[in-house]
Amino acid sequence: MTEFTPLLSFAGGMVIGLATVALMAVHGRIAGINGILNGFLTTQFNQDWAWRAAFLAGMIVSPLVLLGVTGQMPEISVPSATPLLLIGGFLTGIGTTYASGCTSGHGVCGISRLSARSIVATVTFMTAAIATVFLTRHVFGG
């Protein structure tokens, strides 16, 4: 998980960028995963629901595409206990609610639109992430 993979990273970034531009061009929507999932869960079965389902399905199927291209699945290693993951997920959900969006919506789409609110939100997300990693690895010894 700490391997240097510039080509795969570049390709992944390009695909994310193309997907966000395509979603904005075709549907006039921002590719914030929080909003897409929320709309998928709360929207009736219609055209809006269909593109949300397709976007989410693409996120689920993409590791299989990587398997077909490279011959191996991405390695996933989660060094935290399940209770910590649940607490982290809950806190992230609260944070995305108060921030009116998630890191993908603010970080990828908002910053590219030069949204001041998204820039502040992304700086806040990143500052909190850096502080959390520092505290858990260097202060609390996790």
Side-chain angles (χ1 to χ4, degrees):
M1 198 143 148
T2 58
E3 294 176 20
F4 183 62
T5 57
L7 294 178
L8 281 177
S9 301
F10 179 76
M14 291 297 291
V15 170
I16 290 170
L18 289 171
T20 58
V21 168
L23 186 62
M24 180 61 80
V26 174
H27 293 286
R29 302 292 187 153
I30 293 173
I33 304 311
N34 187 49
I36 291 172
L37 180 61
N38 186 38
F40 173 77
L41 295 174
T42 60
T43 303
Q44 300 297 320
F45 293 100
N46 60 22
Q47 188 175 4
D48 195 49
W49 185 88
W51 74 258
R52 292 172 190 274
F55 196 98
L56 293 168
M59 291 178 64
I60 294 167
V61 171
S62 61
L64 299 175
V65 173
L66 183 65
L67 174 64
V69 172
T70 66
Q72 55 186 327
M73 290 289 280
E75 182 181 331
I76 299 173
S77 172
V78 182
S80 296
T82 301
L84 286 177
L85 293 174
L86 294 172
I87 292 167
F90 179 74
L91 292 173
T92 299
I94 291 172
T96 59
T97 300
Y98 283 117
S100 297
C102 57
T103 53
S104 57
H106 285 298
V108 175
C109 301
I111 288 177
S112 66
R113 294 182 303 117
L114 300 177
S115 166
R117 183 179 86 155
S118 290
I119 292 168
V120 169
T122 304
V123 168
T124 303
F125 297 151
M126 295 306 295
T127 302
I130 291 166
T132 300
V133 169
F134 178 79
L135 289 172
T136 57
R137 291 196 177 167
H138 302 289
V139 176
F140 301 122

